[in-house]
Amino acid sequence: MTVITRFAPSPTWYLHIWSLRTVLYNYLYAKKHNGKFMLRVEDTDRTRLVEGSIENMIHVLASVWLIPDEGPNNPWEKWPYYQSERLEIYRKYIDELIEKDKAYYCFCSSERLDNLRTEQKELWLATKYDKLCRYLSDDEIQAKLESWIPYTVRLKVPEARKVIFYDTVKWKIEVDSKDIDEQVLLKSDGFPTYHLANVVDDHLMWITDVIRWDEWTPSTPKHVLMYEAFWWEAPVFSHIPLLLWSDKKKLSKRTWDVAVEQYLEKGYLTEALINYIALLGWNPKTTDEFFTINELIEKFNLKQVHKSGAIFDVERLDFFNSNYLKKSDISDIYNKLLTYLKRYNSDFYDLLQSFPEEYNKKILSELKWRIKKFDELQNLTTFFYGDAKNPSSDLLMNEKMKITDLDIVKKWLELTLNVLQSQSSDFESVDDVKNVFVEKIKEAEMKNGQVLWPTRVALSWEEFSPGALEMMYILGLDTSIKRLENTLKTLWQ
Ligand code: GLU
């Protein structure tokens, strides 16, 4: 049997970090078993639709390479994929449940149900339907239907038995049927609830494995009862634990800091994001931490997913991302940077395009060791893509390095300028700059730090920048000479 998993989002918001983990586990599991991963849109709750959310999800999933094998964008056998387009299908199955006496009409008004809920809450009881309509006679039902009283259809939960299912992550789950609410399956507007549509579609779409987050565990016994009622084989359930912030608070649902797109916007690399998210709550049982998507597929095992909540820690994500940046090949990362900028920072993209590619790559080769993610790049490179700020003497002073006398600093900078002016052609590499300078500094009986610190400052006029040798290599002779001359002229004339 082909393994088929699915991601079944409701279009109520953008793709969250924890949904990304759900998608990823579904994807890894399907790929590991040479199966298929589907996308289905659960849009039956019409009051909670958020416009553009599905487009966002599809776009974000494609950006992180988790492309469903089948879904609204690449329809195939199981079309349609929007539940709102499958209403007739659910109607047929609801009729079947009524016919089999596994579901019943409920004519209770929402007012009655609200009052019931309030009463139960006041008495500290679980809020559940009190089964009033379960015991209506056939004649009563017929009469109410004929008088067009609005109705819902509810699941008829068998009395006095245990509902048992096995969960890959949480193992055996056993619930007393008296604790299961007689869930509404069909709403009075003719739309199914999540529960009915989810079960019917998982069956019709041949879903073999349902991997979803823990919040749905309490609903699963109702689903199990429906599978039984239809005489269908239930899929294998795996409920994955919640994600928490490092302060152990549950990730809130609708703040932008949980939107995956926000992490793309900040310039995290897909491979780092996927690698980090995969390890949230799953222990691959090795000391290695860095895995490509193919390695993740090979290693993934649902049985190694933890039962308790996993912590989403942005600092760990930064650690993963900067590692990926450091080890990546410069052409590859440069292309990724361009793709990122084109989408999220077109001004900086245009600026970069107006400089030679070789120059941009030199900068990136240096900066990839210093940044955690792409969005830090623009601020750290202003002096490469524009003029340096105006020289100011206080930036040149450095107590720690015992640089406190401006007149001496002048001599050091003059040395740099002389060395640069005596070069006949641009430096070939940072090592090339280093060899030249180390020798000249030694000859002049000065110390490396004394010369290179003010040189670095004079080339960037920023508190932080790459070192002097790297700066001279990247900026080239002409610009470096101009900046030093400008510094000497401004501060000592
Ligand atoms: N539509 C549900 C959700 O968005 C899907 C739950 C499931 O995977 O069964 O959480």
Side-chain angles (χ1 to χ4, degrees):
M1 189 167 53
T2 311
V3 164
I4 306 184
T5 63
R6 85 308 193 260
F7 174 48
S10 300
T12 51
W13 208 64
Y14 306 123
L15 193 76
H16 305 105
I17 282 289
W18 65 79
S19 304
L20 177 63
R21 188 185 52 160
T22 308
V23 176
L24 183 60
Y25 286 4
N26 274 285
Y27 179 89
L28 296 176
Y29 186 82
K31 297 295 155 189
K32 173 160 186 142
H33 295 94
N34 297 318
K36 267 174 69 169
F37 163 62
M38 288 186 52
L39 176 66
R40 176 178 80 225
V41 182
E42 303 206 324
D43 58 345
T44 56
D45 188 348
R46 310 304 288 171
T47 57
R48 291 169 64 226
L49 297 188
V50 169
E51 207 169 313
S53 54
I54 287 302
E55 290 70 17
N56 172 272
M57 288 185 197
I58 292 176
H59 160 75
V60 171
L61 289 183
S63 310
V64 296
W65 316 327
L66 298 176
I67 299 174
D69 299 303
E70 196 178 335
N73 268 23
N74 44 351
W76 198 44
E77 290 172 318
K78 320 286 172 38
W79 181 91
Y81 303 93
Y82 282 84
Q83 289 186 328
S84 57
E85 293 170 20
R86 302 170 62 84
L87 298 186
E88 276 173 32
I89 300 177
Y90 310 122
R91 184 73 235 190
K92 173 172 152 241
Y93 286 102
I94 208 73
D95 290 343
E96 182 179 328
L97 286 181
I98 295 172
E99 181 80 12
K100 288 177 160 165
D101 196 26
K102 303 291 185 190
Y104 60 90
Y105 292 101
C106 172
F107 299 94
C108 293
S109 65
S110 45
E111 204 183 0
R112 172 174 191 274
L113 296 172
D114 286 346
N115 290 339
L116 178 66
R117 211 168 299 127
T118 314
E119 261 172 51
Q120 289 171 331
K121 274 193 185 152
E122 278 168 7
L123 295 169
W124 295 85
L125 295 171
T127 50
K128 280 195 303 184
Y129 181 54
D130 62 358
K131 307 189 182 180
L132 182 72
C133 293
R134 178 175 172 140
Y135 303 104
L136 290 176
S137 68
D138 286 351
D139 289 345
E140 282 169 317
I141 293 170
Q142 206 47 44
K144 284 182 193 289
L145 287 177
E146 274 162 24
S147 16
W148 294 94
I149 297 180
Y151 64 84
T152 60
V153 177
R154 286 182 183 272
L155 175 68
K156 196 171 216 175
V157 176
E159 275 163 347
R161 58 161 278 202
K162 297 224 180 287
V163 179
I164 297 170
F165 69 95
Y166 292 87
D167 185 289
T168 322
V169 179
K170 305 173 67 137
W171 193 224
K172 183 175 175 184
I173 299 194
E174 191 173 317
V175 185
D176 227 310
S177 65
K178 71 170 171 31
D179 297 325
I180 303 176
D181 190 18
E182 307 227 294
Q183 181 68 51
V184 171
L185 301 180
L186 189 78
K187 293 179 280 186
S188 52
D189 61 4
F191 276 76
T193 55
Y194 152 75
H195 305 277
L196 176 74
N198 187 274
V199 165
V200 168
D201 285 345
D202 280 346
H203 172 73
L204 295 181
M205 295 177 177
W206 311 336
I207 302 301
T208 55
D209 294 81
V210 166
I211 304 166
R212 61 185 169 202
W213 67 314
D214 205 15
E215 204 178 60
W216 294 111
T217 309
S219 298
T220 308
K222 298 172 194 167
H223 302 179
V224 169
L225 286 175
M226 276 188 268
Y227 283 104
E228 273 182 27
F230 284 122
W231 290 80
W232 292 338
E233 191 181 334
V236 176
F237 295 104
S238 306
H239 288 94
I240 55 178
L242 305 178
L243 286 186
L244 310 162
W245 286 121
S246 2
D247 60 5
K248 300 262 160 72
K249 284 203 196 100
K250 206 170 130 179
L251 255 67
S252 73
K253 271 201 176 168
R254 285 188 190 147
T255 55
W256 190 232
D257 50 3
V258 297
V260 178
E261 174 123 37
Q262 192 236 173
Y263 292 86
L264 300 179
E265 207 174 84
K266 286 188 175 161
Y268 286 96
L269 297 169
T270 293
E271 46 276 60
L273 198 57
I274 292 295
N275 191 159
Y276 175 62
I277 297 284
L279 299 182
L280 282 182
W282 164 53
N283 181 353
K285 303 244 156 92
T286 96
T287 48
D288 296 344
E289 298 187 287
F290 296 100
F291 303 106
T292 61
I293 188 90
N294 285 336
E295 288 164 345
L296 289 172
I297 291 172
E298 189 195 309
K299 293 201 155 34
F300 189 67
N301 184 343
L302 275 171
K303 294 203 174 91
Q304 293 165 348
V305 170
H306 298 169
K307 289 185 180 55
S308 53
I311 291 181
F312 178 70
D313 178 357
V314 180
E315 277 176 28
R316 282 289 289 161
L317 175 59
D318 285 349
F319 164 79
F320 272 84
N321 207 61
S322 59
N323 262 280
Y324 273 93
L325 283 171
K326 282 176 197 155
K327 67 181 181 194
S328 52
D329 161 81
I330 191 65
S331 296
D332 176 44
I333 196 177
Y334 180 62
N335 286 337
K336 285 180 178 150
L337 173 68
L338 291 185
T339 311
Y340 162 74
L341 292 178
K342 218 190 244 179
R343 175 154 179 92
Y344 294 110
N345 188 347
S346 56
D347 289 347
F348 192 36
Y349 174 82
D350 292 342
L351 182 64
L352 246 66
Q353 294 292 38
S354 65
F355 283 82
E357 183 175 317
E358 199 198 343
Y359 181 69
N360 294 336
K361 282 185 173 170
K362 274 186 191 170
I363 296 171
L364 190 59
S365 303
E366 183 49 39
L367 267 290
K368 73 174 191 169
W369 297 92
R370 295 164 190 270
I371 55 169
K372 293 195 285 290
K373 47 195 170 37
F374 283 152
D375 72 344
E376 294 163 18
L377 210 55
Q378 188 169 15
N379 282 342
L380 293 176
T381 54
T382 48
F383 45 84
F384 285 126
Y385 291 111
D387 288 338
K389 285 189 196 145
N390 286 332
S392 87
S393 50
D394 43 323
L395 250 192
L396 273 179
M397 301 291 115
N398 189 323
E399 295 257 344
K400 248 209 231 140
M401 295 176 77
K402 302 203 178 64
I403 301 177
T404 48
D405 181 342
L406 257 194
D407 286 334
I408 301 182
V409 171
K410 185 178 178 219
K411 290 205 185 87
W412 293 333
L413 288 178
E414 280 168 349
L415 175 86
T416 304
L417 184 60
N418 287 339
V419 175
L420 290 175
Q421 281 169 337
S422 64
Q423 292 300 303
S424 50
S425 61
D426 254 317
F427 297 108
E428 299 277 306
S429 64
V430 177
D431 276 344
D432 194 8
V433 194
K434 190 171 165 190
N435 294 338
V436 172
F437 268 84
V438 167
E439 202 187 303
K440 297 285 180 190
I441 293 170
K442 208 164 151 198
E443 267 172 32
E445 294 183 358
M446 295 175 185
K447 287 192 180 140
N448 287 347
Q450 292 174 329
V451 177
L452 297 179
W453 163 263
T455 300
R456 183 202 74 71
V457 175
L459 292 173
S460 67
W461 288 107
E462 288 289 346
E463 210 169 327
F464 302 103
S465 76
L469 304 173
E470 289 81 2
M471 293 280 299
M472 288 188 273
Y473 168 63
I474 296 170
L475 288 172
L477 276 183
D478 288 352
T479 309
S480 302
I481 290 172
K482 260 187 225 140
R483 288 193 185 179
L484 279 156
E485 284 174 346
N486 182 41
T487 299
L488 287 163
K489 205 168 74 197
T490 317
L491 293 183
W492 283 280
Q493 249 180 26

